[in-house]
Amino acid sequence: MNKGVKFLVNLLVFAMVIGFGWYVFNTLGKPEKSATQIDGTTAATFINDSAYQKINTIQAGNEIITFDLYGDKVYMAAYQSIMIYDMAGTLVREIPSEKEIRDIKVYDDKIYLLHPDEIEVFTLEGEKIKGWPARRPDSDYCSLALSKEYLFATDAGNKNICKYTREGDYLNIIISPIGFVIPSYAFDIVNIRDTLYCGNSGRHRVESYTLEGQFITTFGKTGPEDGSFLGCCNPSYMTATQSGDILTSEKGNPRITCYSTDGTFRTVLLHKKALGGGTQAYKIKTLGERVFVAGKKTLSVYVFDTEWLSQIQSPGATPDISLEENI
């Protein structure tokens, strides 16, 4: 063998050995943390476990595009149908839809369906009440939020939020002061106590607005660490807790994180391992102390495990991460 070629081969083998040794040292040689400091107290980082434990799963017949909770029912939206389950996982009713469903909200005994270019309203039994087209032919609706008087739909096609009355009358649009950057249709919106929180996923931000459309503030930063967003389109989904805090769901490295309404990072509730792995973001809702998480054809239900927390809690620490009062 040519001496030059032999030297290059030996050099390559040496580099591979060094690289493997570095990998083993960094993945196996380092102790994993079991807790992190949040507001001066110790709370779980959930690297190998989670303070939220799975108590139930519901297997859907089709992939769950999105879902909502109302009363004692789960309303799941598949590509072109609504599947209604009771909390035990029994299919109660299925309502066909002729169009692609982007979002579903159940409010005031009505089902609101968001399509890319249309909004429809149904009774809980599946009878259509009304419907109206999107504001513009090039609209591409992603997510919706409701209040007592208004309906808000995020529009990825025009990078804004469209505001309607709940009867379908168009009112105006809301435009981000820094501009919405929306890759992969990650344009979620949620109404938390009459304040709108909207994901600006391309900028790794969450923005808040009044119901009248006035910008309030924004939070979020780019980074891989807890309390930051990374990747092309995070946060992907959001929801509210009963105490009014914000939960975000991310893709790439899936995790569900809690923030206060002013954007202060609280903790990671569920990490990739506890969620079941993969790279896609999980859809999320809360009901009391329960966290409902949807991925592919499975809806999982988690509750806070105080016994687990007591095992990892340091003496004197009083972490406040339950959904009951404040997460």
Side-chain angles (χ1 to χ4, degrees):
M1 181 183 295
N2 183 281
K3 289 184 177 180
V5 174
K6 186 175 181 180
F7 173 80
L8 290 175
V9 171
N10 290 335
L11 184 63
L12 178 61
V13 171
F14 178 77
M16 292 174 64
V17 171
I18 294 298
F20 179 76
W22 179 88
Y23 171 80
V24 171
F25 174 80
N26 279 274
T27 55
L28 301 180
K30 291 183 178 181
E32 290 184 327
K33 299 177 184 178
S34 60
T36 186
Q37 290 295 319
I38 299 176
D39 297 333
T41 60
T42 303
T45 56
F46 315 141
I47 293 176
N48 285 323
D49 206 348
S50 173
Y52 276 83
Q53 300 300 317
K54 189 185 298 184
I55 60 168
N56 191 25
T57 58
I58 298 175
Q59 296 297 328
N62 299 295
E63 182 175 354
I64 304 168
I65 303 300
T66 184
F67 73 100
D68 201 10
L69 307 172
Y70 189 76
D72 59 352
K73 301 291 189 299
V74 181
Y75 293 76
M76 299 184 192
Y79 179 69
Q80 289 185 327
S81 67
I82 306 167
M83 301 171 292
I84 304 174
Y85 290 83
D86 62 23
M87 291 296 175
T90 301
L91 181 63
V92 176
R93 183 179 298 110
E94 187 166 2
I95 304 170
S97 174
E98 297 179 355
K99 305 187 68 174
E100 175 187 354
I101 300 172
R102 288 280 174 81
D103 202 1
I104 182 172
K105 290 291 187 295
V106 188
Y107 188 91
D108 196 21
D109 289 343
K110 297 180 181 64
I111 301 172
Y112 291 80
L113 281 190
L114 185 72
H115 306 289
D117 58 358
E118 185 182 4
I119 299 169
E120 294 183 301
V121 187
F122 295 83
T123 66
L124 296 181
E125 290 71 36
E127 180 181 350
K128 184 173 179 177
I129 301 172
K130 65 180 68 175
W132 60 92
R135 185 178 73 93
R136 292 175 45 166
D138 60 347
S139 291
D140 199 354
Y141 286 165
C142 295
S143 177
L144 64 84
L146 293 162
S147 70
K148 292 181 179 180
E149 297 178 329
Y150 306 121
L151 181 149
F152 302 87
T154 59
D155 183 355
N158 294 287
K159 306 297 188 296
N160 58 38
I161 304 169
C162 294
K163 178 180 177 181
Y164 297 90
T165 66
R166 283 178 50 199
E167 287 69 42
D169 299 318
Y170 169 72
L171 296 174
N172 52 45
I173 60 172
I174 301 171
I175 300 175
S176 168
I178 60 173
F180 287 118
V181 178
I182 309 299
S184 303
Y185 294 106
F187 201 3
D188 206 10
I189 188 170
V190 60
N191 175 15
I192 304 179
R193 298 179 179 178
D194 286 342
T195 297
L196 296 174
Y197 291 85
C198 184
N200 195 342
S201 58
R203 298 189 185 276
H204 300 142
R205 310 290 289 179
V206 176
E207 299 180 7
S208 58
Y209 297 85
T210 67
L211 294 183
E212 300 308 315
Q214 284 81 35
F215 174 78
I216 301 173
T217 189
T218 182
F219 72 86
K221 59 182 179 178
T222 302
E225 65 276 4
D226 293 347
S228 301
F229 301 117
L230 193 65
C232 72
C233 38
N234 280 316
S236 295
Y237 302 106
M238 298 183 297
T239 194
T241 70
Q242 68 176 13
S243 63
D245 286 335
I246 306 165
L247 300 187
T248 64
S249 177
E250 300 170 53
K251 66 184 297 186
N253 180 25
R255 59 186 175 183
I256 295 173
T257 305
C258 178
Y259 298 86
S260 63
T261 52
D262 65 0
T264 301
F265 167 64
R266 289 189 180 277
T267 190
V268 176
L269 299 187
L270 292 163
H271 59 86
K272 181 175 181 177
K273 181 179 178 181
L275 288 167
T279 59
Q280 296 302 306
Y282 290 78
K283 299 90 178 175
I284 50 174
K285 301 289 179 183
T286 65
L287 184 63
E289 289 193 326
R290 290 173 289 175
V291 181
F292 291 72
V293 179
K296 295 184 178 179
K297 297 182 179 181
T298 302
L299 181 73
S300 301
V301 186
Y302 297 81
V303 295
F304 186 71
D305 186 351
T306 54
E307 181 178 351
W308 180 90
L309 183 63
S310 66
Q311 295 174 3
I312 61 92
Q313 182 176 312
S314 62
T318 55
D320 189 15
I321 56 177
S322 170
L323 285 173
E324 179 63 29
E325 295 296 338
N326 295 295
I327 291 185

